[in-house]
Amino acid sequence: MATGFPKAIIAALAGAFLLSACEGRQNPFSQLLEPAEEPAQAAAAPGEVIERDVEAPDVFAAREEGLWDGRPSLGGVWVAHPDVKDPERVIVRNEANGDFVIGALFRRDRESPGPRIQVSSDAAVELGMLAGQPTELNVVALRREQIPVEPPADEMMAEAPSTEMAAAAPAPAAPAPAAAPA
């Protein structure tokens, strides 16, 4: 029993070391799943550029029935369609209830009976889909658009007061001299 204890510690330390080496690696699909910052959330200074998602139906668009077969799928929000060439970021809308989710779009390799859009279990939960029940979905590719940030008109007025306003404003009073100690 005494010989098994050091082996267990060595195995645990080796496992922890190997797992810590994996910590810095990124998921290759993380860029597909990361939402872009919305202009209202971005704290960009004037002259900088912010990014936002824009629908790109020319890249991919499908409005047809989708199906979640009820089985748990490998994690993440995704849909698959046989006409897809490359993975894409998409917005998926459930036409029946108005729910939507942003996720990834992959190519569906094999044709199965039923709807051509296959839905992951995580996407089905977000969209309010029932297992085995085809649902009308609208899937549209997303692209990131860069927008230059311009200061609002009221900020521009506040930064540069007009000469009329400066002339009409009274001059600031000089501070009173401090009393000398007695």
Side-chain angles (χ1 to χ4, degrees), residues 138-163:
N138 185 5
V139 182
V140 181
L142 295 174
R143 287 288 187 250
R144 295 199 181 189
E145 176 182 79
Q146 294 185 346
I147 302 170
V149 177
E150 297 178 16
D154 10 331
E155 278 186 26
M156 290 175 52
M157 294 297 288
E159 290 175 6
S162 68
T163 54

Side-chain angles (χ1 to χ4, degrees), residues 54-70:
V54 178
E55 291 184 4
D58 54 316
V59 176
F60 182 85
R63 185 179 183 147
E64 53 190 90
E65 287 187 332
L67 180 69
W68 171 47
D69 59 11

Side-chain angles (χ1 to χ4, degrees), residues 8-68:
I9 291 176
I10 291 172
L13 290 174
F17 176 74
L18 289 173
L19 287 176
S20 68
C22 296
E23 202 169 298
R25 298 189 62 166
Q26 284 190 326
N27 178 352
F29 301 113
S30 63
Q31 289 181 346
L32 292 173
L33 302 175
E34 292 173 0
E37 283 188 41
E38 293 297 323
Q41 297 172 348
E48 290 185 17
V49 176
I50 59 172
E51 291 183 346
R52 70 175 184 174
D53 286 333
V54 178
E55 291 184 4
D58 54 316
V59 176
F60 182 85
R63 185 179 183 147
E64 53 190 90
E65 287 187 332
L67 180 69
W68 171 47

